[in-house]
Amino acid sequence: YILFLFFSIVISQNQTVGVFEYEEGIYEGYTLFSPSRNTYLINNCGQLLHSWNSNYQTGGSIYLLEDGSLLRTTKINNSNVFDGGGIGGGVEKLDWAGNVIWSYPYNSETFHQHHDIEPLPNGNILILGWELKTAEEAISKGRGPQLLEDGELWPEHIVEIEPNGDTGNIVWEWHLWDHLIQDFDSSLVNYGVVSDHPELLNINYMGPGQNSSGGKADWIHANSIDYNEELDQIIISSRALSEFWIIDHSTTIEEAASSSGGNSGMGGDILYRWGNPRAYDRGTVDDRVLFAQHHVQWIDKNLPGEDNIILFNNGRNRPDGDYSSIDEISPPVNGYNYDIDSDSSYGPNELVWTYTAENPLDFYADHISGCQRLPNGNTLICSGPDGTFYEVDEMSNIKWEYK
């Protein structure tokens, strides 16, 4: 999904919006986006091919399904819930004519959908959500009381929804809360040496990222989710911690709450993480390579770079200046697991490919934004804050630009 706003106009000498670059070698496809309640499908000339209208502003992601229906998140106002950046509240499906043919609210005073969803090959839908944990619950997991400035936490969880008529059934779930470690309170069962357990999240690690809203309670701030059918694994991006995680989806609900079972044998523990090894005490501030990233995903099968991981690295507070990049890596996958030495962090240490502006500081989006590998090997980029998107080739030449 790519989120941005555009207006189609006749190109002229005084052009301020529209297609600015259109060169040979661009991918001949359509672009889907939703800046508000409306969703648009356009061609490379900026011509509107189709549109949908909803009663709700998008909650952060949209997908055009193979049957021509539109799957989108919905932003549902709920004054009784914690209000973090990217808050949504539900999912709806619209047919080609714009009729709502299915909807599923996922919000209450204790849980809330946010940012992203992921349609699965079997027709089910993964929903990324927050869930409330009280100060007492957090302290019982070893959270230092001094780190509970908001008096509560809203960590991440995932549910898989099977559409069923006008509603849906939760058929699988995963909770980060089941996979925590801490070195603060030795009387608790999850006490341990953080660096010995990269498969667990340190509940007391406060990452370098900054959130637009939600405060310290939203200390993870996940912002995207993707699925790999071949591995039956899920990838999640944490903006606040500046790293992403991969988990096993082949588990039962019971196994997902444990550290055993599934194809990996690791239950719902973190199989792989990358971007900020300081989060698991196997690196320093100098080893950080992600800076408030978004839209982490596997490159689809049969596309150039297939099975690599690509993301929009926003670049907020980079040591060498604030600038964005599109980064691609080849993860150290070994069967259903990922290689790591006992005394080092997860690799790789080098990127497969990256895009920055010729003058890096000229390309900077401090929040939202996304990217996508195209069938011709080019990469589509959305700079969310200024509503600009590009198609660049593997040599980082801009082949198409729209503002």
Side-chain angles (χ1 to χ4, degrees), residues 310-314 318 324-328 351 353-356 363 369-373 379-382 392:
I310 192 170
L311 56 89
F312 193 106
N313 195 354
N314 293 74
R318 285 188 200 252
S324 297
S325 61
I326 310 304
D327 296 338
E328 179 184 344
L351 299 174
W353 179 80
T354 188
Y355 168 79
T356 59
F363 172 46
S369 307
C371 59
Q372 182 178 345
R373 178 59 44 82
T379 302
L380 183 66
I381 302 169
C382 170
V392 302

Side-chain angles (χ1 to χ4, degrees), residues 219-237:
W219 106 99
I220 303 298
H221 195 82
N223 56 31
S224 68
I225 183 171
D226 191 42
Y227 176 71
N228 185 307
E229 182 179 10
E230 182 180 13
L231 295 173
D232 202 2
Q233 294 178 359
I234 296 168
I235 193 168
I236 319 160
S237 172

Side-chain angles (χ1 to χ4, degrees), residues 150-167:
D150 296 337
E152 61 189 24
L153 291 179
W154 284 81
E156 306 295 341
H157 74 291
I158 301 167
V159 293
E160 179 180 344
I161 304 300
E162 176 188 47
N164 182 12
D166 294 332
T167 181

Side-chain angles (χ1 to χ4, degrees), residues 48-157:
L48 180 64
L49 304 178
H50 196 70
S51 64
W52 296 259
N53 179 261
S54 170
N55 292 325
Y56 299 99
Q57 183 174 336
T58 178
S61 64
I62 52 171
Y63 296 89
L64 185 59
L65 304 182
E66 290 186 2
D67 64 0
S69 61
L70 181 74
L71 184 69
R72 68 191 304 277
T73 53
T74 55
K75 188 170 185 178
I76 299 173
N77 293 325
N78 187 338
S79 59
N80 297 319
V81 75
F82 152 80
D83 186 13
I87 194 166
V91 184
E92 66 179 4
K93 184 185 291 188
L94 281 61
D95 65 17
W96 187 257
N99 303 305
V100 177
I101 55 177
W102 181 78
S103 64
Y104 188 85
Y106 192 73
N107 65 88
S108 73
E109 294 184 359
T110 59
F111 61 86
H112 212 286
Q113 181 273 331
H114 66 93
H115 283 91
D116 199 8
I117 55 176
E118 174 70 8
L120 298 179
N122 63 1
N124 293 352
I125 300 159
L126 294 176
I127 292 180
L128 181 64
W130 290 300
E131 58 183 352
L132 171 65
K133 301 297 178 182
T134 65
E136 291 75 19
E137 289 174 308
I139 290 171
S140 74
K141 283 284 192 177
R143 179 82 164 191
Q146 75 279 8
L147 299 178
L148 287 166
E149 297 178 21
D150 296 337
E152 61 189 24
L153 291 179
W154 284 81
E156 306 295 341
H157 74 291

Side-chain angles (χ1 to χ4, degrees), residues 378-393:
N378 292 353
T379 302
L380 183 66
I381 302 169
C382 170
S383 177
D386 59 5
T388 302
F389 54 105
Y390 317 84
E391 182 179 329
V392 302
D393 65 16

